[in-house]
Amino acid sequence: ATVPEEPQVEKNTILNIYPNQAVSNVTLNVDAEWIGKELQLVSMTGTVVQRILISSGSQKISVNGLSSGIYFLQGQSAQSRISHKMVKL
């Protein structure tokens, strides 16, 4: 008997953020499955500070209005869930 394969979740290829010690802007590179989905930028206290609608595979967002610190870019699609740390200088 064959065992059904578990769905594979590719880690760290779904989302790439650069530069990841940002002062004013960051560029998000995402897999096609994320286009049309929303990502949330969440502070260390769990507060959603920004909502980002993904409109293309490579998208620039402004982080000018954020205080310096560590944030998490989070989102969920039908196939995967992401949480990626970002540092604002």
Side-chain angles (χ1 to χ4, degrees):
T2 60
V3 177
E5 288 187 31
E6 292 281 323
Q8 296 297 313
V9 176
E10 295 180 47
K11 294 190 179 358
N12 299 326
T13 58
I14 295 170
L15 172 68
N16 184 22
I17 302 172
Y18 64 90
N20 195 354
Q21 287 192 342
V23 175
S24 59
N25 293 300
V26 294
T27 300
L28 308 178
N29 287 333
V30 297
D31 285 354
E33 74 175 90
W34 288 92
I35 295 173
K37 305 280 191 303
E38 181 183 88
L39 297 179
Q40 297 178 342
L41 196 57
V42 181
S43 70
M44 289 291 289
T45 61
T47 303
V48 176
V49 295
Q50 191 171 350
R51 294 179 190 275
I52 302 141
L53 181 62
I54 300 300
S55 58
S56 69
S58 180
Q59 185 167 333
K60 186 179 281 193
I61 61 166
S62 172
V63 293
N64 268 330
L66 300 177
S67 300
S68 296
I70 297 172
Y71 295 86
F72 293 91
L73 197 58
Q74 299 178 336
Q76 186 166 346
S77 74
Q79 292 82 21
S80 55
R81 181 181 198 140
I82 56 174
S83 182
H84 197 89
K85 185 169 79 170
M86 186 196 84
V87 179
K88 165 67 166 83
L89 298 176

